[in-house]
Amino acid sequence: MQASEFTRAVAAAMSIASSLGLTADDAVVLHNSNKLALRLLPCDVLARVAPVAQQVAQFELELAQRLAETGSPVAALEPRVEPRVYERDGFAVTLWTFYEPATPGEVPPADYAHALGRLHDGMRKLDVPTPHFTDRVEEAQQLVASRDRTPELADADRELLGGTLRSLRRSIGERGGAEQVLHGEPHPGNLLSTKSGLLFIDFETCCRGPVEFDLAHAPDEVGEHYPGADQGLLRECRILMLAMVTMWRWDRDDQLPDGRRLAAEWLGQIRAALDRDGLDIHG
């Protein structure tokens, strides 16, 4: 979130919480990108804040509620207030349960895979309209084509990313595998280790596609423990995912700290992966 919006966004979240009878004298920033995540104290509530024009909070809220009803491993909404989207000063705010981390360190890959499998089981029971994963690929391809939006991207790197996105999008689609509703970005930052077990958060990127597209966002070892995962498809999805997030880092409006350095590092990883797997992106 831009610095010009940050102070107003925090004030909006604290004001809404206070108006609902939750004591919010302080706010600790947990994450700041396109959406702001705040821990409100002393009421100990997680507030997620985004500009009204950019948010998909209603969809995310309803999806989380329906997944909770299926027993899926998802974070709960704040039980002390009505579960809805609150708006103030141009911001949309949703209030969630705050979970203290249960254990430090990385989640064991087998546990991660089991939790993601349970989430996918719950998502298979839902009939909700979602974008296809290729719609997200298309967003990255539009950035490749727009020099105005990605002025710092070198021509050779633009060609590499464009070819990778185009080739793997086609290759994955031609496999014709099973598809279902997915989290969209179940990376470690969206997985909480709590006393209630592993719980997923942040469903704004929910889409439809093969489960391997979700697995591509998890650490490599997780895919080895996920029953029935197509390892060849997973390798392609990992490179596709890396090309997508690399392209987003070159967006002139990208707000991720240190994004350009990460983008340069990931370009090297993409080249290495293409060479290792013998993939031709020029065909």
Side-chain angles (χ1 to χ4, degrees):
M1 187 172 292
Q2 300 285 358
S4 59
E5 300 176 309
F6 179 85
T7 301
R8 289 175 41 239
V10 173
M14 294 178 68
S15 176
I16 287 171
S18 296
S19 71
L20 296 170
L22 301 171
T23 305
D25 299 328
D26 191 18
V28 178
V29 178
L30 302 177
H31 184 69
N32 181 18
S33 57
N34 61 318
K35 183 180 291 186
L36 189 62
L38 304 169
R39 181 184 184 183
L40 304 181
L41 296 169
C43 62
D44 225 12
V45 170
L46 174 67
R48 294 169 62 80
V49 192
V52 168
Q54 300 176 12
Q55 58 86 26
V56 290
Q58 186 62 42
F59 170 78
E60 182 180 26
L61 184 150
E62 292 175 357
L63 186 65
Q65 286 180 299
R66 293 180 64 179
L67 285 169
E69 291 170 359
T70 69
S72 299
V74 297
L77 290 152
E78 168 54 48
R80 290 171 286 181
V81 300
E82 182 183 352
R84 68 178 182 85
V85 180
Y86 298 88
E87 294 187 10
R88 186 155 304 182
D89 194 21
F91 294 97
V93 180
T94 51
L95 301 174
W96 304 75
T97 297
F98 176 80
Y99 296 90
E100 288 281 2
T103 55
E106 296 182 359
V107 175
D111 295 348
Y112 201 132
H114 179 68
L116 187 55
R118 287 181 55 214
L119 179 67
H120 286 158
D121 286 344
M123 286 184 148
R124 275 192 286 272
K125 301 173 184 176
L126 302 183
D127 182 17
V128 294
T130 61
H132 196 258
F133 83 97
T134 53
D135 294 337
R136 301 189 62 204
V137 181
E138 174 64 27
E139 293 174 6
Q141 290 179 296
Q142 290 175 3
L143 282 175
V144 172
S146 175
R147 293 180 182 274
D148 287 341
R149 292 181 61 189
T150 56
E152 298 178 43
L153 182 61
D155 287 346
D157 296 335
R158 189 181 303 275
E159 182 179 353
L160 171 72
L161 290 168
T164 300
L165 291 166
R166 180 179 60 255
S167 175
L168 291 180
R169 174 181 178 176
R170 181 179 64 248
S171 175
I172 292 169
E174 289 175 349
R175 285 177 175 266
E179 297 186 347
Q180 67 158 84
V181 178
L182 304 172
H183 180 286
E185 289 187 357
H187 54 67
N190 284 333
L191 180 64
L192 305 179
S193 179
T194 77
K195 294 179 180 178
S196 302
L198 298 176
L199 302 175
F200 286 94
I201 61 171
D202 196 353
F203 293 91
E204 66 177 351
T205 54
C206 182
C207 59
R208 182 173 294 276
V211 295
E212 287 80 4
F213 183 78
D214 260 2
L215 280 168
H217 293 77
D220 290 353
E221 297 81 2
V222 174
E224 299 170 6
H225 294 272
Y226 191 99
D230 182 326
Q231 297 300 321
L233 175 57
L234 178 53
R235 283 192 294 272
E236 290 190 349
C237 284
R238 283 187 179 128
I239 301 172
L240 177 67
M241 179 274 296
L242 191 57
M244 290 166 58
V245 297
T246 300
M247 197 63 239
W248 294 332
R249 299 291 76 81
W250 289 106
D251 188 341
R252 68 185 179 195
D253 297 325
D254 184 56
Q255 299 176 38
L256 185 71
D258 210 18
R260 293 292 189 274
R261 183 194 64 79
L262 289 171
E265 178 181 319
W266 293 339
L267 279 166
Q269 293 180 19
I270 292 169
R271 288 189 174 92
L274 291 172
D275 289 343
R276 182 185 63 242
D277 294 338
L279 297 176
D280 179 11
I281 62 170
H282 303 291

